[in-house]
Structure formats: structure tokens, C-alpha cells
């Protein structure tokens, strides 16, 4: 997920964008990931397959998690991807 979110930053946020990654592990194996960039949405010159965010949502759902992605609220610029995977179920 980190790689995919950063790839989206490179493709869409513009040349001066920066990105911040926060990764937290909770008790019981829960994981929370937030990738935030400071860019502006720009169309990339290379067409993608359009599966970035839908693919991330599908993989997140496989593990019972949630994924939120979208522009940051005004007046902030950029985009935010927030992933939460719940505690692991004991096997």
C-alpha cells in the first residue's frame, strides 16, 4: 500500500510535492497507515490501468480493513490515503 500510494504521488501530485508516511502497529496485530502528500492533482503523461485505488480497496477488504482516500480538506493541499487493518484473529 505504501508503494502504491507513493507511486500515485509521483504520478499525480506534481514535481514539488512531498509525502509523509505514518505507520502504526497496535496490540493484537492491528495496523494503521497514513500517506499524505502536499501536491496538486495533475494529469500524468502516462496512462495507468486505473486500478490503483480500487485495487488497494479490494486488498484491504480481504483482510477486513478500511481504506479512505481523497483530497485533504481546504486550506490544505494534497491527497491522503488512510488504511486500517484490524487485529489479527487468533488461529
Amino acid at each position: 500500500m505504501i508503494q502504491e500510494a507513493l507511486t500515485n504521488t509521483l504520478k499525480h501530485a506534481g514535481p514539488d510535492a512531498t509525502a509523509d508516511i505514518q505507520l502504526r502497529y497496535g496490540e493484537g496485530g492491528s495496523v494503521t497507515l497514513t500517506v499524505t502528500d502536499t501536491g496538486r492533482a495533475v494529469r500524468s503523461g502516462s496512462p495507468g490501468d486505473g486500478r490503483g485505488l480500487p485495487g488497494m480497496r479490494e486488498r484491504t477488504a480481504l483482510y477486513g480493513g478500511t481504506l479512505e482516500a481523497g483530497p485533504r480538506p481546504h486550506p490544505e493541499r494534497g491527497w491522503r490515503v488512510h488504511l486500517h487493518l484490524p487485529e489479527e484473529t487468533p488461529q
Side-chain angles (χ1 to χ4, degrees), residues 15-71:
D16 297 327
T18 61
D20 179 64
I21 300 167
Q22 294 181 350
L23 180 62
R24 294 191 176 103
Y25 293 99
E27 291 186 36
S30 67
V31 176
T32 301
L33 166 70
T34 305
V35 179
T36 307
D37 72 47
T38 60
R40 63 192 195 301
V42 292
R43 293 190 59 82
S44 69
S46 59
D49 64 7
R51 295 291 300 151
L53 289 173
M56 285 195 276
R57 283 191 176 94
E58 289 171 6
R59 290 189 300 280
T60 301
L62 286 173
Y63 296 98
T66 58
L67 182 90
E68 300 168 4

Side-chain angles (χ1 to χ4, degrees), residues 28 86-91:
E87 294 180 5
E88 292 183 61
T89 310
Q91 303 279 336

